[in-house]
Amino acid sequence: MGLIYGYDIYLRPGNVARVLTRLAALAAPRAPAAPPLDVTLPGGERLLLPFTSHLASEPVDCSTSSTLELDMSLLFDVDDALRQYAQARGSEPEADGRMRIGYIYATIRFASVLHPGYTSVECWAASSGMSRLFAQSANVRQAFTDLTAACGGVCCLFDTGDGAPEQVCWLNGEPVRETVSGPRFPDWQALVATWSDSEQ
C-alpha cells in the first residue's frame, strides 16, 4: 500500500462555498470543452466548479448528502521540491510559472468527524510520490494554510494517514508546528477545545 498524505482544513459550514470558490481559483486550466461541475450545497447554494466528482461531470446535489467528493488539479508556486517532482515526471510549469499537480482528491464532510459543528475539507495526494511532495514542499503547505486563512478556517492539519501523529500547521489565525498527541495537544479533544469559536 502506498503513502496517502493530505491536508485537512476545518471551518464553519457557512464558509464551505468560500473554500470551494478559493479552491476553484487555484485550479489548473482545463480543456475548453470540459464542462464545469454543478454542485448544490446543503443549504441550496449552487456553484460551478472546474473539477470532477468521481471523475465525472454530472451535477452533484449535496442537499441530502453528508459528503462531497472532488477530483482536482491545482496550481502551486514552484519551489525546489515541486521542481524536482515535475522534472521526474517530465512536466513543465504553466505559462504563469506555477506547477500543475493533480489529481488531488478532496472529501468535504459537512459535519466533520472531529466536531459536528464544523466542516472538514480533506485534500489527499493521489500517489506516494505526490504524498512525499506534500510533505516536502513548503509552497504546498503554504497554499493550504493560506486557503485556511482566506476562508475563515480554524485549523489545518497535515495528515499522513498511517497512524502517525497529525501535524497542526494552522490554528486560530496563526501558523504553528505542533503534533496531536504532543505536549500541547495530548488528544483530539484538547485540539478542538482551542478552536477560537468551538463553543458557538
Side-chain angles (χ1 to χ4, degrees), residues 64 124 146:
T64 59
W124 294 94
D146 285 353

Side-chain angles (χ1 to χ4, degrees), residues 28-38 48-52 56-58 100 103:
R30 303 176 77 209
L37 182 69
D38 187 340
L48 295 177
L49 301 174
F51 306 128
T52 55
S57 296
E58 286 77 14
R100 175 194 302 252
Y103 283 122

Side-chain angles (χ1 to χ4, degrees), residues 60-80:
V60 179
D61 185 353
C62 299
S63 59
T64 59
S65 175
S66 60
T67 60
L68 168 63
E69 304 284 345
L70 297 174
D71 325 303
M72 311 182 298
S73 289
L74 302 180
L75 296 173
F76 298 93
D77 292 330
V78 176
D79 59 16
D80 287 344

